[in-house]
Each structure stands twice: as structure tokens, then as C-alpha cells.
Amino acid sequence: MSIERAKAHLKNKGYLDRVIEPEAGTFTVEDAARALGCEPAHIAKTMSFYAPDNEKTILIVAAGDAKIDNRKFRDALGVKPHMLKMDEVEPRIGHAPGGVCAFGINPGVAVYCDVSLKRFDYVYPAAGNDHSGVKLNCNELYDACDAKAWVDVCKGWEP
């Protein structure tokens, strides 16, 4: 069960006590914001990509109101972004759509945090399923997901 993998990872990092499991679903950014009692922008959505030229799987954790900018992505990471298809997400990442997070993921997946998150004191990424979240500040999020770097790959938000 992917929430158990995420919880084990968060426990090892010292953040297990931050996990929230509301009754309401958290499948979409809007659902998660309602269930967790925050603005949609504060949801730290995790988007799944792959690079066909080198078969790398990449996760981008970004603010709920941000959208991927293909050119910025290519400039920052050196690859053209290709979103994973729904049926590819769980086998490649280790979590199903609606609960994708950067905790307890499959080996070899590269995680990057987008700077769109840095404007918030706290953000709420999923915690492994579509009825979960975890409250973290940006430094804790970066640590918890073993991010490779902060990147600027999004548009649609205002600093």
C-alpha cells in the first residue's frame, strides 16, 4: 500500500506526525484544498514526467496554482518534458494518481521542487493516497522528498 511506504519514509525523516488523513478525498488540487482547509495554491502537487531519450523518471513538486512551462523545464533540466500516462504512473513512481507524492517512491526517480512553493510558510503534498496530506514548510518538504534541487519550471503563479 503506497500510503504505508510514504508514511515509513516520513517516519524516517521525522515528519510522520504531520500526516493528515481527512475523510474527504484529496484526488485533485481543489479536493485536497477543501479537505485540508487551505487555499489551492498551498497544495504541493507532484507531477510525473519521463525523458524518453534517457528513460529517466522525474517528479516536479510545485504549487497548486502553477503550471509546467515546457521551455523552462527543458532549460532547467536539459530534457523535453513528457507527462506519464495514467497507467504508467504507479509502476514508475510507486504511487497511484491522486496520491502521487515524493515520499516512499521507487528507486531512481529524480525529485525537484519548484520555486513556486517558496512563497508559502507551509504547503500540503499528498502522503501516498487520495485521502492524505502532510503539512510541511518548504525546507522540510525539500528534505522529506530528498530533492535534487530547487528549479524554476513553472508559470501561472505570482511571486
Side-chain angles (χ1 to χ4, degrees):
M1 190 174 209
S2 61
I3 191 166
E4 297 310 322
R5 277 178 72 183
K7 282 182 171 181
H9 181 89
L10 290 166
K11 181 179 181 181
N12 288 339
K13 292 288 190 170
Y15 303 118
L16 182 60
D17 63 332
R18 310 284 186 80
V19 173
I20 304 162
E21 295 183 75
E23 282 190 34
T26 57
F27 191 81
T28 67
V29 167
E30 292 75 20
D31 292 343
R34 275 191 300 279
L36 299 171
C38 67
E39 292 295 318
H42 291 174
I43 298 301
K45 63 184 177 183
T46 305
M47 297 173 281
S48 311
F49 299 90
Y50 74 99
D53 54 334
N54 61 15
E55 284 300 309
K56 282 193 176 183
T57 303
I58 300 167
L59 291 179
I60 301 292
V61 185
D65 62 347
K67 296 183 181 346
I68 293 295
D69 180 305
N70 290 336
R71 181 185 169 126
K72 286 174 126 182
F73 189 111
R74 191 172 48 252
D75 290 348
L77 300 176
V79 295
K80 183 178 178 183
H82 293 271
M83 286 200 83
L84 290 178
K85 295 176 185 166
M86 292 286 273
D87 63 341
E88 297 173 323
V89 174
E90 190 167 11
R92 289 184 79 120
I93 305 299
H95 300 299
V100 175
C101 64
F103 320 122
I105 58 176
N106 291 340
V109 177
V111 179
Y112 297 89
C113 292
D114 186 74
V115 296
S116 61
L117 296 163
K118 286 190 169 188
R119 62 196 149 126
F120 303 118
D121 291 334
Y122 288 93
V123 294
Y124 300 83
N129 72 10
D130 62 1
H131 279 76
S132 67
V134 56
K135 183 179 181 180
L136 300 168
N137 69 39
C138 288
N139 291 332
E140 292 167 338
L141 173 66
Y142 188 87
D143 172 58
C145 50
D146 298 318
K148 290 191 170 290
W150 284 100
V151 293
D152 181 3
V153 296
C154 289
K155 62 183 175 184
W157 63 278
E158 295 297 323

